[in-house]
Amino acid sequence: MKKPLCALFSLLVIVAASCRQPNLTPAYLEITYDDINNCVDMSNYNETHPGENHDEEELAAFQQHNFTHVNVYVSGKNLGCWQVPCKVPVLDVSAEDTSTVVILPAFRKTGMTNTIQGYPFFNVLQKKLPLRPGETYRISDDPLSFIYSPYAVCPYIETFSNSSSFTPTDTTNPITFLPGTCDGRTAGVISLSTDCDFDIISPSITLPARNYFIYLEITYKIDAEMEVGVKISTAQSPNAVYPLGGMYATDGEWKTIYFDLASLISSYHHTGGGATSASIVLTGYGDKNKSINYYIDNIKIIYQPSA
């Protein structure tokens, strides 16, 4: 009987070994705000985007972002959306292999809702990283470098370097942005010392009407609220302005905000074709008790097919 018992014991040992728990010690990915906000490569943008020819100041405007979150994927698994700075735990890593990591910057839509959107205009960036159980890998050790997709199109950009393309909606109120500087930046400037206001509009911009990501991006520093709207030209309502939202006082800081134009255009586009004409409308107010300054570093619209 000893031999069968020994064989049974050996079998139980093998089964027990096969049922051992995997190593549940995670590796960590450490990602900071600067890791995803100062890393856009614009060196070949004009070459990869036929029909666009941006100067150095305009190319620099594409690099200014306010990404507050990241979507993280490791070896094909979605590890969720994280607010930066963050340390993302990663399971199922080994001491021998590298892991394929995808990091997609994300932002809060319109800057004031709870909807987080991955930035749709970058190429997918993959990295092979040596993630080890119990160790922390800092993205800053091997900096990211994002590149705009060749399918992204920028039909409008204003940097206020020499002039402003915005004009007053009412000729009796001539206030509009003038080229100036702030904190060493070229910017459009409006300074109000009384309780007057301004209402200004961009040139008409042709945009796709459906099946596209379309975002208005504004980098700004302002002392009071500024309202943002879109005028969409249709036969039924040629002068209608639809509100996008507000930009609030930034307490002396520069910020970038993202407005989703695609949803609004698809809701109010009535002409039936595949494109529509739109203009950006900005409205601000003065204060009789103090001076109010509005600074806009740049304004741009970018779109790309959504499927």
Side-chain angles (χ1 to χ4, degrees):
M1 295 293 293
K2 289 184 178 181
K3 288 185 177 180
L5 285 175
C6 290
L8 178 60
F9 179 75
S10 300
L11 178 62
L12 290 175
V13 170
I14 294 172
V15 171
S18 66
C19 294
R20 287 174 184 168
Q21 293 294 322
N23 186 355
L24 297 180
T25 302
Y28 292 91
L29 273 174
E30 185 173 287
I31 308 170
T32 69
Y33 179 87
D34 287 338
D35 288 337
I36 59 173
N37 279 284
N38 298 299
C39 48
V40 183
D41 181 0
M42 296 298 296
S43 58
N44 294 314
Y45 183 92
N46 285 334
E47 288 76 9
T48 56
H49 294 76
E52 298 186 41
N53 185 24
H54 300 287
D55 60 31
E56 289 187 8
E57 194 158 3
E58 291 173 342
L59 292 174
F62 283 90
Q63 297 175 309
Q64 296 174 7
H65 285 285
N66 184 30
F67 298 133
T68 55
H69 293 71
V70 287
N71 294 317
V72 180
Y73 304 83
V74 176
S75 299
K77 296 179 181 178
N78 183 356
L79 301 190
C81 183
W82 299 76
Q83 184 172 359
V84 292
C86 60
K87 288 180 72 173
V88 182
V90 184
L91 295 172
D92 298 330
V93 294
S94 71
E96 295 80 22
D97 298 331
T98 58
S99 301
T100 301
V101 177
V102 174
I103 295 176
L104 175 63
F107 57 91
R108 195 178 299 278
K109 290 177 71 171
T110 73
M112 34 185 186
T113 71
N114 290 323
T115 303
I116 306 300
Q117 169 70 51
Y119 195 65
F121 304 122
F122 288 157
N123 281 338
V124 174
L125 176 61
Q126 293 186 347
K127 277 185 171 290
K128 293 283 190 180
L129 300 181
L131 302 180
R132 302 289 182 257
E135 297 182 4
T136 296
Y137 185 93
R138 294 173 178 82
I139 292 299
S140 59
D141 292 340
D142 185 13
L144 304 173
S145 181
F146 295 103
I147 299 175
Y148 274 89
S149 160
Y151 303 105
V153 177
C154 178
Y156 176 75
I157 184 168
E158 174 59 82
T159 60
F160 304 100
S161 57
N162 297 305
S163 61
S164 170
S165 59
F166 280 82
T167 56
T169 59
D170 183 353
T171 56
T172 64
N173 179 6
I175 298 175
T176 188
F177 280 107
L178 298 175
T181 59
C182 178
D183 300 333
R185 302 180 181 215
T186 299
V189 181
I190 290 180
S191 296
L192 302 179
S193 57
T194 64
D195 58 351
C196 60
D197 56 22
F198 65 87
D199 193 66
I200 58 178
I201 189 168
S202 75
S204 180
I205 306 152
T206 300
L207 298 173
R210 55 184 63 85
N211 300 324
Y212 276 76
F213 295 110
I214 312 174
Y215 278 92
L216 166 67
E217 305 177 7
I218 306 177
T219 300
Y220 64 102
K221 184 172 86 167
I222 56 179
D223 295 336
E225 180 181 358
M226 184 163 65
E227 299 172 1
V228 182
V230 177
K231 177 182 176 182
I232 300 177
S233 300
T234 68
Q236 292 82 359
S237 303
N239 296 308
V241 176
Y242 302 95
L244 280 175
M247 296 159 49
Y248 299 98
T250 61
D251 298 324
E253 296 182 1
W254 287 96
K255 295 188 176 182
T256 299
I257 195 169
Y258 304 84
F259 291 100
D260 181 4
L261 298 185
S263 299
L264 185 143
I265 289 174
S266 63
S267 297
Y268 295 103
H269 174 67
H270 305 297
T271 58
T276 191
S277 296
S279 299
I280 306 303
V281 179
L282 304 177
T283 305
Y285 306 92
D287 188 324
K288 64 181 179 181
N289 298 315
K290 61 181 179 180
S291 297
I292 301 293
N293 294 309
Y294 296 86
Y295 299 104
I296 304 293
D297 184 292
N298 65 81
I299 299 176
K300 55 185 176 289
I301 294 178
I302 304 178
Y303 65 77
Q304 177 176 300
S306 57

